[in-house]
């Protein structure tokens, strides 16, 4: 199975779609799930905030812990 996304507003895409409909081995499945029209920058900012929140939670847990924390150099050296 191959999935192809075609823009609805393109004249060439409409022509290709009409041609594909003529083939017996092609099944056209309309897009019934609309994708949100949010910008990728907004999604990236939201993800960054979630990652930052998780980092603060992990830092809080590490501060409460009595175990010795390793530095990046210790981790890379395998200590």
């Amino acid at each position: 199975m191959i999935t192809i996304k075609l823009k609805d507003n393109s004249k060439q895409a409409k022509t290709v779609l009409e041609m594909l409909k003529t083939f017996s081995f092609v099944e056209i499945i309309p897009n019934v799930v609309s994708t949100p029209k949010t910008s990728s920058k907004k999604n990236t900012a939201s993800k960054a905030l979630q990652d930052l929140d998780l980092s603060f939670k992990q830092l809080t847990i590490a501060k409460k812990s009595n175990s010795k924390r390793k530095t990046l150099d210790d981790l890379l050296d395998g200590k």
Side-chain angles (χ1 to χ4, degrees):
M1 176 183 278
I2 298 174
T3 303
I4 300 173
K5 291 183 179 184
L6 298 174
K7 294 182 180 181
D8 292 340
N9 59 355
S10 168
K11 184 177 180 181
Q12 292 88 356
K14 290 177 184 178
T15 304
V16 170
L17 183 60
E18 290 303 316
M19 181 197 64
L20 289 173
K21 287 180 182 179
T22 63
F23 297 119
S24 61
F25 57 88
V26 174
E27 178 184 2
I28 305 295
I29 302 171
N31 186 12
V32 293
V33 178
S34 63
T35 57
K37 301 278 182 179
T38 59
S39 71
S40 62
K41 288 181 182 178
K42 187 175 182 180
N43 290 338
T44 303
S46 175
K47 174 80 171 106
L49 287 175
Q50 289 174 351
D51 290 345
L52 188 60
D53 185 49
L54 178 61
S55 296
F56 281 128
K57 288 177 182 176
Q58 290 173 341
L59 183 61
T60 302
I61 292 169
K63 282 184 178 182
K64 290 180 182 178
S65 169
N66 289 333
S67 63
K68 181 180 180 244
R69 287 181 220 112
K70 293 183 178 184
T71 65
L72 180 59
D73 290 332
D74 291 341
L75 198 61
L76 293 175
D77 291 337
K79 292 181 182 178

